[in-house]
Amino acid sequence: MTTSSSPSSATSAQAVKDPLRLIDVDYVRFYVGNAKQAAYFYAQAFGFEIEQISDLTTGQREAATYLLTQGNIRFLLTTGLDKNHEAQKEVALYGDGIKDIAFTVDDSVAAYEQAIRNGAESAYEPKEVTDERGTVLSSGVKSFGRVVHSFVSRSGEYSLEKVKQRGIPFLPTFELTPDLAINEYNRQNPTGLFYVDHCVGNVEMGKMDTWVKWYEDVLGFKLFKHFDDKDISTEYSALMSKVMDSGRELIKIPINEPAEGKRKSQIEEYLDWHNNTPGIQHLALLTKDELNTVGQLRRRGVDFLEIPESYYDIVWDRVGEIKENVDKVKDLRVLVDRDDKGYLLQIFTKPLQDRPTLFFEIICRRGSESFGKGNFKALFESLELEQDRRGNL
Ligand code: FE2
């Protein structure tokens, strides 16, 4: 295997029409305090397969990384094995959380160079890893706060299509896990998650438009929707949000900032516990069958935000008929909303780690392209109850 920091591969020399054509979400990388235990948590609670490992046993002496997969979702959970490793330093600052939303591109070098020309700041320069199976090129640019977007281009057996078929290392240095009982259990009891629908960033007050412009200028995203503090407020707290769309139905990235309210907003609470540094607030994972998925996750012990019974006294007047069993929707405490294109079902976990930072949303779209605006008020009142319990309101 060879590693070089100034690649000159055939792919980088090819002229690519749009260097920032984002093909897929290559992976979402988490920095965590203990990747071995985090892998088991995400596998047990959310049904991910612990598919591959890169650690001391595969010759990696700086960090341990687990590849977890489900549908078209790929998580890398990384722990530094040395106090100077970046993952260790960031875990000390932020706790467990998301570092990198990586995109598959045609040519990592061309994508990186174009992003830099578009005004991005480098996170790391292109590096190439080649072995007998093929080549993986990676580079990265800095987004808001601690977040990075890597550009990954793959050739030979490392192409994303081949990697998705399983049985091939995701990256050089990875090895497939041996048969794990948890993987067998998950195959028999699938939770049905298959795609990262959107990923939401929290930034400081007054900084939302800066990052909206960044996504427009650097990555060519378009503004999809805009919510102001009148849409997203309760008696006590408020936030504003703009949704950025990658196009090609790949991913949407809403950017939140706090707005003035009587008490501390959920965005401020996040920033307080995230070393006053912007970062990823939640990942929304898509399912085609919300009730089955949420039933499965509840049986596995996933902690969801509590929604009051009264929510269901009025929701059906607002939403109208849906194809799911409404009693089951209520039993599972799933939220429902409708827009002009259809409806959606959604539910939010409590924070996934001790700090009130990252959480997941489980979403099922039945035509709706929005984000559950009709649920904001009910949801934020529920969130405020949780903040109050944590002494952070
Ligand atoms: Fe969301």
Side-chain angles (χ1 to χ4, degrees):
M1 187 169 72
T2 58
T3 305
S4 101
S5 57
S6 55
S8 55
S9 73
T11 50
S12 65
Q14 285 167 5
V16 178
K17 273 184 198 158
D18 175 8
L20 285 167
R21 184 176 81 99
L22 306 181
I23 297 166
D24 210 333
V25 175
D26 204 87
Y27 57 81
V28 176
R29 187 189 294 274
F30 296 61
Y31 279 168
V32 296
N34 186 334
K36 184 170 188 166
Q37 290 187 3
Y40 190 76
F41 170 76
Y42 288 106
Q44 172 64 39
F46 293 94
F48 284 88
E49 180 176 345
I50 304 174
E51 195 189 310
Q52 303 187 21
I53 301 178
S54 162
D55 68 356
L56 287 174
T57 66
T58 73
Q60 283 307 293
R61 307 201 68 79
E62 290 161 11
T65 299
Y66 287 66
L67 170 68
L68 270 64
T69 58
Q70 184 171 181
N72 193 39
I73 309 166
R74 288 166 291 280
F75 288 167
L76 292 178
L77 308 179
T78 297
T79 289
L81 297 176
D82 179 282
K83 69 181 190 320
N84 295 316
H85 190 279
E86 182 187 60
Q88 284 304 95
K89 290 182 185 167
E90 293 209 2
V91 166
L93 292 171
Y94 314 123
D96 287 11
I98 292 175
K99 175 65 187 173
D100 188 353
I101 308 283
F103 298 114
T104 318
V105 294
D106 295 300
D107 178 347
S108 177
V109 176
Y112 173 84
E113 287 172 352
Q114 186 62 48
I116 298 291
R117 274 196 298 277
N118 291 349
E121 189 183 336
S122 176
Y124 64 99
E125 292 190 350
K127 57 186 182 193
E128 177 184 309
V129 187
T130 295
D131 66 9
E132 66 284 356
R133 289 195 179 89
T135 295
V136 179
L137 270 164
S138 302
S139 57
V141 293
K142 290 181 184 171
S143 182
F144 50 86
R146 53 94 57 113
V147 177
V148 161
H149 290 303
S150 284
F151 302 120
V152 184
S153 56
R154 301 163 160 279
S155 61
E157 287 185 46
Y158 291 122
S159 76
L160 196 59
E161 286 315 308
K162 292 203 171 143
V163 165
K164 279 183 192 175
Q165 290 162 22
R166 310 283 175 98
I168 292 169
F170 184 61
L171 298 165
T173 80
F174 276 70
E175 287 182 13
L176 306 187
T177 52
D179 285 339
L180 299 175
I182 185 67
N183 289 344
E184 183 53 33
Y185 178 83
N186 286 339
R187 277 193 285 274
Q188 310 236 346
N189 302 275
T191 60
L193 301 172
F194 73 99
Y195 202 80
V196 179
D197 181 85
H198 60 275
C199 119
V200 179
N202 282 345
V203 303
E204 309 97 318
M205 192 178 279
K207 288 290 163 65
M208 175 178 71
D209 285 327
T210 306
W211 291 104
V212 162
K213 190 169 182 326
W214 188 93
Y215 278 94
E216 285 171 345
D217 292 351
V218 173
L219 295 182
F221 282 34
K222 299 271 184 291
L223 181 64
F224 182 74
K225 271 195 166 59
H226 176 199
F227 303 103
D228 64 21
D229 48 353
K230 285 176 215 65
D231 296 320
I232 319 181
S233 68
T234 66
E235 189 188 346
Y236 295 121
S237 66
L239 66 90
M240 295 198 283
S241 185
K242 285 185 177 173
V243 180
M244 303 310 294
D245 182 4
S246 67
R248 304 181 197 95
E249 301 198 346
L250 180 60
I251 194 168
K252 293 190 175 68
I253 303 188
I255 313 271
N256 294 335
E257 71 171 33
E260 293 292 348
K262 281 188 199 162
R263 296 170 89 169
K264 187 179 285 188
S265 83
Q266 51 173 305
I267 313 301
E268 287 169 277
E269 187 197 30
Y270 176 100
L271 293 169
D272 282 352
W273 291 93
H274 203 253
N275 202 46
N276 289 313
T277 307
I280 304 289
Q281 179 209 44
H282 75 268
L283 272 192
L285 306 176
L286 206 55
T287 171
K288 290 178 178 138
D289 184 347
E290 183 83 4
L291 300 190
N292 190 46
T293 295
V294 174
Q296 179 66 247
L297 298 189
R298 284 198 181 278
R299 282 192 292 282
R300 289 161 174 265
V302 173
D303 240 359
F304 291 104
L305 276 185
E306 283 148 37
I307 300 301
E309 177 109 14
S310 57
Y311 172 87
Y312 297 93
D313 295 342
I314 48 171
V315 70
W316 305 119
D317 290 339
R318 174 162 62 81
V319 169
E321 248 179 67
I322 62 168
K323 75 176 207 180
E324 284 78 7
N325 179 314
V326 295
D327 293 330
K328 223 177 150 192
V329 168
K330 181 178 168 183
D331 284 349
L332 290 168
R333 286 299 192 261
V334 163
L335 301 165
V336 196
D337 196 28
R338 185 179 286 280
D339 62 20
D340 51 341
K341 299 223 167 89
Y343 70 95
L344 63 78
L345 302 117
Q346 64 186 167
I347 193 167
F348 298 84
T349 72
K350 289 185 183 175
L352 298 163
Q353 57 292 307
D354 296 298
R355 297 192 195 203
T357 49
L358 176 69
F359 60 87
F360 285 167
E361 171 182 353
I362 309 299
I363 185 168
C364 175
R365 296 188 178 279
R366 302 269 188 241
S368 166
E369 292 180 358
S370 57
F371 297 83
K373 179 175 158 181
N375 290 322
F376 288 169
K377 199 170 164 54
L379 200 59
F380 295 152
E381 283 170 354
S382 171
L383 270 166
E384 281 168 9
L385 284 176
E386 290 292 317
Q387 270 180 257
D388 198 25
R389 285 182 56 210
R390 294 191 283 259
N392 289 338
L393 192 60

